[in-house]
Amino acid sequence: MSTLTSTVVTAEPPAVTGRRQPLHDWRPEDPDFWQATGAPIARRNLWVSIFAEHVGFSVWSLWSVTVLFLGPAYGIDPAGKFLLTAVPAALGAVLRLPYTLAVARFGGRRWTIISALLLLVPAIPMTVLLEPGVSYTTLMVLACLTGVGGGNFASSMANINLFYPQRLKGRALGLNAGGGNLGVPAVQLVGLAVLATAGAAYPRLVPAVYLPLIVLAALAAARWLDTVPGARNEPGALREAARDPHTWVMSLLYIGTFGSFIGFGFAFGQVLQIQFAERFPTPVDAVWLTFLGPLVGSLIRPLGGHLADRLGGARVTFWNFVAMAAGASTVLYAARERSFGLYLAGFLALFVFSGVGNGSTYKMIPAIFRARSADAVATGQADPEAAARWARRMTGALIGIAGAIGAFGGVLVNIAFRQSFLSSGNADAAYLAFIGWYALCFAVTWVVYRRPRAGRLANV
């Protein structure tokens, strides 16, 4: 396995004509090149990438709203619906690593076109087949196929990373990630619009809305995206990162942050309908609230990165997990007391803090390797250039692995809800599991990155 890097390619740029020309010269770290040529090209690619990734996230999240349409005529109990929201998260997690590697293998522009068109694979059959009488096996296959949208995030982030200089990567990747995450509340708003106008009898209209958007994303990529020359998969980086203990520590933390965000985003509407059935007798009653959590979680993500810049990623992550444990405890108490207002406030807090944690954990990853490379230079074990190159290499690999493993948190959240409702008829056991996981995460953050001791990594 490998990680994605780029080499500087310097050559005479092609003559300017009426058509956009392929990139032959890309030097984002050169201030003169960046100001005159690089910045406008990078911005154009960023906005197209955000749109394509946004559509991918929406397709990935289709079943978070589709299950609300599956009334008695479909004959599916709540446990079966939680499985339908778990399988897209599972495939999306599996695809993240190969999608990351595909950018160098096929080129950023070509792979964005391909990955956008692959979204038609679940969207078209869902538009045709979603009606009473369809078998549960067919629904499971369709739900699994929407996982292709989860892979788009990884390839989009890997591609945009190549366009920006080191000093601007954080903001660019934050915008790219946030725009993609907004696909979760967007598809739920589409579902709300369909429920409010056509009614619950027409779930096929939700994927149908995305068919022209998928085609538009592919066409926009073909027209306006570029491929950075010299991008390559660096051999052995993922294997090296997989042997590093920090990879597994950060993956565990990312399960707690991004896994919570995507898992709650998929499950929130169902949980509302089951937990407070008397308040939400119809799907439209639940959907108007369902989108709020993913919306605030997406919008707040850049704040986590900003706070990490100012206060330190490990500090923000530690207190963020303390807050998530408190939020889950609030939800548990409110569920037992049947207090809907407190329940909603606690769940929205979970979305907010999962978004903050997404940003702070991503900021920790490069800081870990910067600190270790600085230590290697200070002790004479490496020269500055080699140490910086190693830090970038390991950062890219760890982000790829943590992103894939973190997405499995979405599976765990939905399975936890399913098993809790199956065993006891309520979600109390699931909330207790979440509290325990967040407690484990803040304890690990303290022990590994915050506990005062000799050899603690600085500025993480």
Side-chain angles (χ1 to χ4, degrees), residues 98-340:
Y99 267 55
T100 298
L101 302 176
V103 171
R105 175 66 179 83
F106 297 99
R109 174 178 173 272
R110 182 181 299 173
W111 182 250
T112 304
I113 297 169
I114 294 170
S115 62
L117 292 176
L118 283 173
L119 300 175
L120 294 171
V121 173
I124 290 175
M126 282 181 68
T127 303
V128 174
L129 298 174
L130 280 180
E131 60 182 13
V134 63
S135 71
Y136 185 71
T137 300
T138 300
L139 293 178
M140 282 289 285
V141 172
L142 293 177
C144 185
L145 289 175
T146 60
V148 297
N152 286 24
F153 173 85
S155 57
S156 178
M157 294 289 276
N159 187 42
I160 290 303
N161 182 63
L162 297 174
F163 280 93
Y164 280 83
Q166 289 294 329
R167 69 184 188 279
L168 299 177
K169 284 182 189 291
R171 179 177 180 273
L173 293 176
L175 287 170
N176 199 51
N181 289 173
L182 284 170
V184 183
V187 74
Q188 292 166 351
L189 284 172
V190 170
L192 174 60
V194 171
L195 284 167
T197 54
Y202 298 95
R204 63 179 61 188
L205 292 180
V206 181
V209 167
Y210 279 91
L211 294 178
L213 295 177
I214 292 168
V215 174
L216 182 59
L219 291 175
R223 175 65 181 85
W224 288 300
L225 281 190
D226 300 283
T227 292
V228 172
R232 61 189 179 87
N233 289 318
E234 195 168 324
L238 289 177
R239 281 196 300 271
E240 184 179 355
R243 293 192 294 267
D244 193 301
H246 289 281
T247 296
W248 303 105
V249 171
M250 293 307 303
S251 295
L252 181 147
L253 301 184
Y254 203 55
I255 288 173
T257 56
F258 180 76
S260 294
F261 170 79
I262 198 66
F264 293 148
F266 284 7
F268 189 36
Q270 292 184 78
V271 174
L272 280 178
Q273 278 204 293
I274 299 170
Q275 199 87 60
F276 295 92
E278 71 286 352
R279 186 178 287 266
F280 300 103
T282 66
V284 71
D285 295 310
V287 172
W288 77 270
L289 279 178
T290 298
F291 79 94
L292 283 178
L295 178 64
V296 296
S298 300
L299 294 176
I300 206 74
R301 178 171 180 153
L303 177 62
H306 177 69
L307 289 174
D309 282 339
R310 296 194 58 178
L311 304 174
R315 177 185 296 178
V316 173
T317 298
F318 171 79
W319 288 110
N320 190 74
F321 276 122
V322 172
M324 291 185 75
S329 300
T330 301
V331 170
L332 173 62
Y333 174 81
R336 288 177 171 176
E337 296 298 317
R338 308 297 299 164
S339 172
F340 175 71

Side-chain angles (χ1 to χ4, degrees), residues 14 62 145 201 230 243 257 353 357 384 412 450 456:
L62 272 170
L145 289 175
R243 293 192 294 267
T257 56
F353 291 119
L412 298 177
R450 293 288 298 157
R456 191 183 85 176

Side-chain angles (χ1 to χ4, degrees), residues 431-443:
Y431 302 137
L432 288 170
F434 303 149
I435 294 167
W437 188 268
Y438 302 144
L440 173 65
C441 287
F442 71 65

Side-chain angles (χ1 to χ4, degrees), residues 372-392:
R372 292 171 66 186
S373 64
D375 288 345
V377 172
T379 57
Q381 299 176 42
D383 67 83
E385 184 177 345
R389 189 165 56 247
W390 175 83
R392 289 193 297 269

